Amino acid sequence: GHFCHHGWMDILDTNAARADAWVRRWCVVERPYLFVFRDRAAHHLDNVVNIASARISVSPDVAEMVARDPVLALYTNTAAYLLAPPADEVQSWISAIDEWFYML
């Protein structure tokens, strides 16, 4: 696998009881996966998302709905995720996850 990007991101926890349950996670993109860890030491794996055919969407409507900006909607074949990276890392995360985003 080829390493692309890593860093902290807030992820909307869709399994939580509260509607606005954002959790801070250490995220590592190593194609074709996005690894989501609870800690930077990468000891506690929370989730592994196959991003081989994932698409990123950046929508002002979604940002307004969840009151987060910037927010990235990540769509895979089986699920959707909302990610809130630091503003200065948005383009890096988009490129790392969706390699076609800036080419289309």
Side-chain angles (χ1 to χ4, degrees):
H2 134 118
F3 166 78
C4 288
H5 199 64
H6 66 267
W8 290 104
M9 249 194 309
D10 291 340
I11 301 177
L12 188 62
D13 185 353
T14 48
N15 299 317
R18 296 200 337 271
D20 62 341
W22 290 87
V23 291
R24 194 164 160 76
R25 293 289 181 260
W26 182 252
C27 300
V28 177
V29 170
E30 201 172 310
R31 297 201 137 271
Y33 300 106
L34 166 64
F35 296 94
V36 180
F37 297 98
R38 284 174 184 256
D39 59 334
R40 191 175 179 157
H43 292 151
H44 303 94
L45 186 64
D46 233 20
N47 200 353
V48 179
V49 181
N50 187 325
I51 54 171
S53 57
R55 288 288 164 263
I56 289 273
S57 161
V58 181
S59 155
D61 296 340
V62 173
E64 195 175 316
M65 190 174 72
V66 297
R68 273 300 179 90
D69 193 26
V71 69
L72 310 177
L74 165 62
Y75 300 100
T76 68
N77 292 340
T78 53
Y81 306 87
L82 287 180
L83 315 171
D88 60 344
E89 289 182 29
V90 169
Q91 291 180 327
S92 310
W93 280 114
I94 291 174
S95 300
I97 294 170
D98 182 349
E99 42 193 356
W100 300 104
F101 188 88
Y102 290 113
M103 296 181 196
L104 298 177

